[in-house]
Amino acid sequence: MGDVGLVVGDVEMLAGPDDAPLALRHLGGTGPAVLMSHATGLHGHVWAPVAAHLSSWSCHALDLRGHGLSPVPESDDLAWAGMGRDVALVADHLGPGVIGVGHSAGATALLMAAAAHPERFELLVLFEPALRPGLDPVPPALTDSQRALVEMTTRRRAVFSSRAEALASFARKPPFDTVTAAALHAYVEHGFADTDDGQVTLRCLPEVEAQVFARAHGHDLARRLHEVTCPVVVIRGDESAPHQIAASDALGEVFGRGAVVLDGADHFGPLSQPSRVARVVRDAVVGIGPVDGR
């Protein structure tokens, strides 16, 4: 159960559920606990720009297994059910009444944790969870688009001469060319490790990120959404891919609220429009409910 281990600056290392530690980042604020869960390939600190607008809540963000400062378990378990266990353990560590805020795979992991442990969550606010109700949760093989994503991710560059070079490189290319400077800086500053030869390398290696993408649907959450009993607010961008829009709208209907739409946002909305995402969180927490987003 999430015993506290080494505390290093703003990062707590917790004993994880599957033979590997989990990094929990403290992003500021005071008040009820907010647990933020990131998308595949990122890490908890990219939530810092959103947390900056939520100072009335105590904001925390975990690094999911294989991301940031959380290593891959020795069992090499990168199935999404494991990420759900990661989130559940951290929520238990933070205490009852946690407000979950998630993005893509991290949003799906929050749903898994809330389905298994509904008593731990007061509310979920989720930006485009990687889940579509009604689809077979365990397809027999990857689709062509999934296979292309896995192959592209495997070829991603992992090593740069410096963080400055990495920052300049990412700023020129999708999807990071649309995110805020603060979010991109957080991603690079905390998403790379120094190497012995003076260079820097991604903490979430391309082959790890590819494995996470490849195992995206090996779970039964789509059949268990009725087990999530806390209020759920789904957010999506109006410039996201059609399948992401369809999935978010369907989930919004499942939870009886529809989806909050952010104009001008794509799948990286939490990194490109942190103040507007934070506004939806604030309104949901204080009971106003989802806002228009425009």
Side-chain angles (χ1 to χ4, degrees), residues 13-234:
M13 298 305 294
L14 308 180
D18 295 312
D19 66 42
L22 286 173
L24 179 63
R25 301 172 185 267
H26 301 274
L27 300 182
T30 57
V34 173
L35 173 57
M36 297 172 162
S37 183
H38 62 81
T40 304
L42 304 182
H43 53 74
H45 214 93
V46 299
W47 284 107
V50 175
H53 297 280
L54 296 172
S55 59
S56 295
W57 294 272
S58 180
C59 293
H60 311 262
L62 83 159
D63 292 350
L64 295 166
R65 59 183 61 198
H67 295 75
L69 296 174
S70 298
V72 176
E74 292 181 10
S75 60
D76 194 35
D77 183 359
L78 290 170
W80 286 35
M83 295 193 294
R85 291 194 296 274
D86 293 345
V87 170
L89 182 144
V90 174
D92 186 60
H93 171 74
L94 293 176
V98 171
I99 299 158
V101 179
H103 177 203
S104 193
T108 307
L110 275 165
L111 281 170
M112 289 179 177
H117 306 280
E119 74 284 353
R120 296 183 186 174
F121 295 92
E122 185 76 20
L123 166 74
L124 299 182
V125 182
L126 309 176
F127 195 97
E128 297 189 5
L131 178 77
R132 185 169 179 177
L135 293 184
D136 184 352
V138 189
L142 295 178
T143 64
D144 290 342
S145 61
Q146 289 170 328
R147 189 176 299 105
L149 178 60
V150 169
E151 292 174 354
M152 179 185 69
T153 302
T154 304
R155 297 193 299 270
R156 185 167 294 161
R157 181 179 176 184
V159 179
F160 293 83
S161 64
S162 65
R163 283 179 176 79
E165 186 199 9
L167 189 70
S169 177
F170 283 115
R172 295 192 298 266
K173 304 171 187 175
F176 291 102
D177 58 340
T178 63
V179 309
T180 67
L184 180 56
H185 181 270
Y187 170 67
V188 172
E189 179 64 24
H190 298 275
F192 280 83
D194 298 313
T195 63
D196 292 339
D197 60 0
Q199 300 187 92
V200 295
T201 185
L202 282 168
R203 291 188 181 276
C204 181
L205 294 172
E207 55 267 31
V208 171
E209 185 177 357
Q211 285 187 61
V212 174
F213 281 129
R215 302 178 192 185
H217 300 300
H219 56 79
D220 64 350
L221 178 61
R223 298 171 181 162
R224 300 175 55 226
L225 291 174
H226 64 280
E227 297 175 19
V228 179
T229 58
C230 68
V232 178
V233 176
V234 177

Side-chain angles (χ1 to χ4, degrees), residues 128 178 236-242 244-245 261-268 273:
E128 297 189 5
T178 63
R236 70 163 174 85
D238 71 339
E239 297 183 1
S240 296
Q244 292 162 339
I245 290 175
V261 180
L262 294 190
D263 285 352
D266 60 13
H267 188 59
F268 272 59
Q273 298 194 18

